[in-house]
Amino acid sequence: MLDLLKPPILAFQEFFLLTGRTFRNLFRKPHYVDDITIQMDIIGVGSLPIVMLTGFFAGAVMALQMSRALNQYGATDQVGQIVSITLAREMGPVLTALLVAGRNASGMASELGSMKVTEQIDAMRALGTDPVQKLVKPRLVATAIVLPLLTIIADFVGMFGGWVVACPMLNLTTSSQYWSMAWRSLEYNDIAQGLIKPFVFAIVIALVGCFYGLRTTGGTQGVGLATTKAVVVASVWVFVLTFFIGKFFVSL
Amino acid sequence: MTGDRGEPILRFEHVSLFFDEQPALDDVSFALFPGASCVILGAAGSGKTVLLKTAIGLVKPDRGHVWLFGRDITAIPESELVDLRSRVGILFQEGGLFDSLTIEENVAYPLLNQRALRCPRDQVRARVEAALARVELEHTLEKYPSELSGGMRRRVGIARANVTEPPLVLYDSPTAGLDPITAHTIMTLILKERDTKNTTTVIVTHRYQDGHLLANFRYNPATNRIEPLAHDGRHAASDTKFLVMREGRLVFEGSQAELEASADPYVQKFVKPLRN
Ligand SMILES: Nc1ncnc2c1ncn2[C@@H]1O[C@H](COP(=O)(O)OP(=O)(O)O)[C@@H](O)[C@H]1O
Ligand SMILES: [Mg+2]
């Protein structure tokens, strides 16, 4: 039993060591601004199309599914409120994070993993650079900036998707009613949790991706394994954390 | 072995290192003096790569001490270790070239990033070109590592290891996976770097020929070839030390003559290929 628990506990410990080292280096020079920009481009611009597509259909599906229930209570004019609150609090942050975990946690794990197995990480250290500074920090900073922005975009596109279903398609409510409901129902609490979530998810996604990349062993096969693990672990953490952050805001 | 050469450039003292309770290095002790050459032989998985990485502090031993340039690197902070590493060149077994950078940027990397070197920016290009010219790859500056053949990538690795003109250079399996002709070219270049700058040279290999070349040949700048040392052989043998690794243990340390005379069947396995 103890032997069974040892590897995950050790991995957890190593993960926190990496987290600690990254945060200690956060404000320490050098900053490798170019690498941050490149990563922001890969994560942000690269994920934008799928984030918008997913956001649109998430909003549309929500309006569609809610239409029947709202009809029963004769409250179809509330559809804007339901779509916007669900998106801002939960769907926007979680869906965007899952997409970015799938695209970028895997990308980071495979990139750093292949660097590890070809001894580029060792070379980096031997030649005077700290891989945490040069590789992990730019990915963390870039994800932490970009993921909240992507989430905001997903939220808006999602509301638009909801509007397409609610107004032109099903005539649940008028356009002005939809948008004013969508706006007015959002409280500070919703917006705060809608922005804190992606920020926390970003930190976890970047660190998990880099962590599994940096501890890759066993050649090319190991890289595939690291990639899969990074996506799975990052996605599970997104769900776990959204629950706890949500719980915190509910109890406020 | 020799007491009159001052302090060792690299010394291992009872070094042990474990991966998941499996020893990768098991009580390894040896010393290497400035100007000497060292050949590390051993089967795959015997701990040769780990030994080199321990020598420059890329992995930390669980037990024992490692002295590099007279400093105990198991006891100094990372920042000092970074500065010490700038005096060591290393060629990695898997290449370790950055695929996202051009050949020029790869070779310039240590000059730009090892701050202890204080290399002025305007000298970087000239030094990179000179280092690449020494390995006869001056025309590949703009290329990426993936565009080069395996042998050319090794040569870039040799250029990168030597561009800072370090007093100590470590080569991890420089000839592994190469055809005999390319392997000979690589060994010629290693001897060239060693003999034109008098660097202390360590090579890890499973080919006894490589060790034989290192011990008995030298680079002649006039002919741009390697040639046998003077026939007395004695001089050569005293300058090149052979180490044989087996399952993390150092099972042999001595000169080429002692190596060839060894009765240990494991050690003998590495000597035989030259004889037939
Ligand atoms: N990062 C690592 N994690 C776990 N085991 C390792 C690691 N690096 C090396 N080993 C193990 O240490 C032993 C020695 O490896 P190595 O030094 O690479 O051998 P070689 O002599 O072929 O260069 C092998 O059994 C290898 O599996
Ligand atoms: Mg090896």
Side-chain angles (χ1 to χ4, degrees):
Chain A
M1 185 65 197
L2 221 67
D3 283 352
L4 224 75
L5 282 176
K6 213 173 141 192
I9 290 173
L10 280 177
F12 215 66
Q13 185 187 351
E14 276 179 52
F15 179 76
F16 279 104
L17 281 175
L18 177 72
T19 308
R21 280 180 58 201
T22 313
F23 278 97
R24 248 181 290 128
N25 279 311
L26 212 50
F27 298 104
R28 208 180 278 172
K29 282 189 175 181
H31 289 309
Y32 301 112
V33 178
D34 290 355
D35 293 273
I36 299 179
T37 321
I38 293 170
Q39 288 304 320
M40 281 172 68
D41 184 53
I42 294 175
I43 302 163
V45 180
S47 307
L48 196 58
I50 56 162
V51 163
M52 288 175 68
L53 200 67
T54 315
F56 179 88
F57 282 101
V61 154
M62 227 167 347
L64 196 66
Q65 295 292 358
M66 285 300 155
S67 63
R68 231 173 67 191
L70 290 172
N71 245 328
Q72 271 176 1
Y73 301 107
T76 50
D77 54 341
Q78 311 245 335
V79 64
Q81 173 177 358
I82 290 184
V83 169
S84 83
I85 290 185
T86 325
L87 274 173
R89 278 197 202 161
E90 205 58 63
M91 294 287 263
V94 169
L95 285 178
T96 314
L98 288 179
L99 290 173
V100 169
R103 268 192 93 244
N104 301 105
S106 62
M108 292 173 202
S110 68
E111 189 185 357
L112 270 53
S114 32
M115 291 184 76
K116 175 77 193 303
V117 299
T118 54
E119 293 182 310
Q120 290 178 56
I121 305 282
D122 285 313
M124 218 170 236
R125 292 177 62 205
L127 303 179
T129 29
D130 177 359
V132 170
Q133 281 270 19
K134 174 81 180 162
L135 299 172
V136 182
K137 198 172 88 175
R139 282 164 178 76
L140 176 74
V141 172
T143 319
I145 295 172
V146 164
L147 191 56
L149 295 177
L150 283 175
T151 303
I152 293 172
I153 294 171
D155 289 347
F156 277 110
V157 177
M159 287 180 203
F160 174 70
W163 171 82
V164 169
V165 169
C167 302
M169 255 179 76
L170 299 180
N171 275 319
L172 297 178
T173 176
T174 62
S175 290
S176 61
Q177 176 82 351
Y178 177 88
W179 287 113
S180 78
M181 268 294 180
W183 283 135
R184 274 193 294 135
S185 57
L186 285 182
E187 291 170 18
Y188 281 120
N189 184 306
D190 304 319
I191 293 169
Q193 93 170 271
L195 289 179
I196 286 173
K197 276 181 182 172
F199 185 72
V200 175
F201 296 161
I203 293 171
V204 172
I205 289 170
L207 285 173
V208 166
C210 293
F211 172 71
Y212 281 106
L214 288 178
R215 75 199 298 261
T216 305
T217 51
T220 330
Q221 238 178 350
V223 178
L225 224 61
T227 310
T228 317
K229 266 192 190 160
V231 176
V232 171
V233 170
S235 307
V236 170
W237 271 111
V238 166
F239 282 109
V240 173
L241 287 169
T242 194
F243 173 78
F244 283 105
I245 300 172
K247 191 165 176 297
F248 173 77
F249 274 94
V250 165
S251 65
L252 271 185
Chain B
M1 201 160 60
T2 39
D4 56 340
R5 278 197 277 181
E7 210 171 52
I9 199 163
L10 174 66
R11 184 151 76 93
F12 275 52
E13 192 185 80
H14 301 297
V15 172
S16 295
L17 188 144
F18 301 87
F19 287 115
D20 307 321
E21 278 144 47
Q22 286 290 108
L25 293 180
D26 188 355
D27 198 24
V28 172
S29 301
F30 68 91
L32 184 67
F33 289 88
S37 298
C38 177
V39 180
I40 303 174
L41 298 161
S46 57
K48 306 182 297 291
T49 298
V50 172
L51 184 115
L52 290 192
K53 288 183 183 170
T54 311
I56 57 169
L58 291 179
V59 282
K60 297 259 182 251
D62 295 302
R63 269 190 244 129
H65 295 273
V66 178
W67 275 271
L68 183 65
F69 300 109
R71 303 289 310 276
D72 182 356
I73 62 168
T74 50
I76 61 175
E78 184 76 14
S79 57
E80 279 176 56
L81 193 52
V82 169
D83 291 348
L84 268 190
R85 283 191 199 125
S86 66
R87 291 157 68 189
V88 186
I90 181 162
L91 171 77
F92 287 96
Q93 181 168 14
E94 306 294 338
L97 296 180
F98 305 119
D99 342 284
S100 56
L101 302 182
T102 63
I103 300 307
E104 180 183 2
E105 290 165 334
N106 262 287
V107 179
Y109 200 91
L111 295 174
L112 295 174
N113 288 285
Q114 288 176 337
R115 267 174 290 164
L117 293 171
R118 295 179 210 290
C119 177
R121 293 240 158 189
D122 54 351
Q123 284 181 18
V124 171
R125 171 108 190 173
R127 290 181 70 171
V128 168
E129 280 173 353
L132 280 168
R134 286 201 301 274
V135 297
E136 288 150 32
L137 281 179
E138 57 274 49
H139 53 282
T140 62
L141 283 171
E142 310 298 324
K143 289 205 157 65
Y144 284 89
S146 58
E147 299 173 73
L148 302 186
S149 70
M152 285 160 97
R153 282 203 293 271
R154 290 278 161 79
R155 277 148 68 189
V156 174
I158 292 174
R160 189 175 71 177
N162 286 284
V163 69
T164 60
E165 308 201 352
L168 172 65
V169 187
L170 315 172
Y171 298 96
D172 192 354
S173 312
T175 57
L178 297 180
D179 61 88
I181 297 171
T182 314
H184 188 82
T185 313
I186 296 292
M187 284 312 297
T188 306
L189 292 171
I190 289 174
L191 288 184
K192 182 176 174 180
E193 296 289 353
R194 179 190 71 175
D195 294 334
T196 48
K197 291 195 231 76
N198 242 330
T199 43
T200 311
T201 302
V202 178
I203 93 164
V204 160
T205 182
H206 58 271
R207 299 193 339 149
Y208 183 59
Q209 302 97 292
D210 298 347
H212 180 72
L213 283 179
L214 208 67
N216 301 293
F217 285 70
R218 71 182 176 91
Y219 174 75
N220 183 343
T223 59
N224 191 25
R225 285 176 177 217
I226 54 172
E227 56 185 32
L229 281 161
H231 302 292
D232 65 347
R234 203 166 42 85
H235 165 70
S238 68
D239 258 4
T240 302
K241 170 187 291 211
F242 285 75
L243 304 179
V244 181
M245 300 280 301
R246 179 182 193 175
E247 290 163 13
R249 275 174 301 117
L250 197 58
V251 292
F252 174 87
E253 176 180 5
S255 68
Q256 189 181 14
E258 286 163 342
L259 181 76
E260 289 184 350
S262 167
D264 185 328
Y266 178 83
V267 173
Q268 272 301 311
K269 260 189 246 155
F270 292 98
V271 184
K272 274 198 184 115
L274 199 66
R275 298 234 178 97
N276 51 38

